[in-house]
Amino acid sequence: MTRVLAEGRDFGRVVDLHIDVHELETGLNSRVFEKENRTLSDFEAVLARPDFTHLQLDLMVDAHYTQADVYRSGLLKRALARAACGQSLKYLSLRTNVDTYEADIDWYVPLATIFTPTSYSRLQHFGLSRFYVEKDDLLVLLASLPKTLRSVELSEIQFMDSKDSYQTLLWAIRDTLGWKERNPRPTLVIRTDLANPNPGRAIWLEHELYSFLYKDRSNPFGNDPATRAPSLIRFGFDWEKDCFNPNHKRPHVDDHDLADYGLY
């Protein structure tokens, strides 16, 4: 597909590229960014179109390789930095199929190894899903994104330091990034797996995050720093949705409440 586009058979009309696996455990083979190759060249040629605006890139990581090995080549960073010649990219979302259930140093790589914020001068949306991160590293990246930023998604990420969590990340975003003084204020979305994973289904947080960041409401991951499981969304916050069934929407509550609603 990228070869056809790189050859210009669409006459340059394609300026959005979505590799979207809808939460399934697949994606573009990440080894495309391991060393120079024809597929990489074609991919970069499409991204480098002057009017290119939108990239959603879901990556499949080889279980026998590590995330860091692929990213350290610098080729993914180069491709992203060249998107729209660093001028017009408005939407950037990057996801892997890594199971981020345990802290694993072999999968961690500093975000500066992948992203070049100075190349995203008109970015409006930034998304990062299924990555191992250091909280402070992520905050530095968010702080460096341009004032054009309108929305951020940070889903199913794993923090390398056991002291960090979604709970502490939300406090830091609220207290250090100055988003409250912006107009318009960036929105934040977080998606987490269900307790019993089901393909395409997840808990989606959005409205409660806006209330927490800008209206001094409760932290959906708990208000007590000593709380257990500070990266699990508390019952009563937001909704369970299904990528494959738009009619599936139910409140994130326990089984007893679901039974009362007639949903369980």
Side-chain angles (χ1 to χ4, degrees), residues 11-231:
F11 301 102
R13 290 192 298 264
V14 173
V15 293
D16 294 1
L17 182 60
H18 302 245
I19 301 178
D20 183 354
V21 302
H22 294 288
E23 313 306 316
L24 299 182
E25 300 305 308
T26 182
L28 177 69
N29 192 330
S30 63
R31 290 201 187 185
V32 167
F33 304 100
E34 187 176 30
K35 58 184 179 181
E36 300 285 357
N37 60 83
R38 174 64 186 273
T39 302
L40 173 62
S41 298
D42 293 338
F43 180 81
E44 286 187 302
V46 177
L47 265 60
R49 292 178 171 186
D51 296 325
F52 190 85
T53 60
H54 188 126
L55 175 64
Q56 177 167 340
L57 180 58
D58 289 3
L59 293 174
M60 178 176 61
V61 179
D62 190 329
H64 301 290
Y65 263 54
T66 67
Q67 183 171 278
D69 286 341
V70 174
Y71 299 154
R72 286 186 185 123
S73 73
L75 296 178
L76 176 58
K77 181 175 183 177
R78 185 183 75 185
L80 297 180
R82 290 179 176 178
C85 303
Q87 299 299 317
S88 302
L89 189 67
K90 296 180 180 179
Y91 184 106
L92 174 60
S93 177
L94 191 61
R95 179 189 184 274
T96 76
N97 66 330
V98 172
D99 288 329
T100 53
Y101 296 122
E102 299 180 0
D104 188 340
I105 193 66
D106 291 335
W107 289 93
Y108 170 70
V109 60
L111 295 176
T113 307
I114 305 172
F115 300 105
T116 310
T118 54
S119 296
Y120 317 136
S121 59
R122 298 178 60 189
L123 197 67
Q124 296 180 7
H125 174 85
F126 175 76
L128 191 67
S129 301
R130 291 191 179 275
F131 271 79
Y132 285 88
V133 301
E134 293 279 3
K135 185 192 73 176
D136 291 344
D137 187 25
L138 179 55
L139 288 170
V140 168
L141 175 61
L142 293 176
S144 65
L145 294 177
K147 293 295 193 297
T148 55
L149 191 69
R150 297 292 179 267
S151 59
V152 174
E153 179 181 345
L154 302 172
S155 295
E156 300 166 26
I157 57 179
Q158 175 67 49
F159 298 91
M160 296 301 299
D161 192 324
S162 60
K163 299 191 298 296
D164 293 324
S165 62
Y166 269 123
Q167 182 192 62
T168 60
L169 176 66
L170 289 182
W171 285 330
I173 289 175
R174 181 193 62 185
D175 299 336
T176 67
L177 294 186
W179 284 3
K180 199 170 185 177
E181 286 70 46
R182 291 192 187 182
N183 184 21
R185 294 166 170 171
T187 59
L188 177 63
V189 173
I190 292 175
R191 184 187 65 248
T192 66
D193 281 335
L194 302 175
N196 298 308
N198 191 320
R201 291 188 182 180
I203 305 299
W204 293 79
L205 270 174
E206 182 173 0
H207 299 298
E208 279 87 346
L209 291 176
Y210 189 92
S211 295
F212 167 75
L213 292 174
Y214 305 123
K215 298 181 179 180
D216 299 322
R217 301 289 176 81
S218 295
N219 189 327
F221 294 90
N223 295 312
D224 185 354
T227 188
R228 298 180 61 186
S231 281

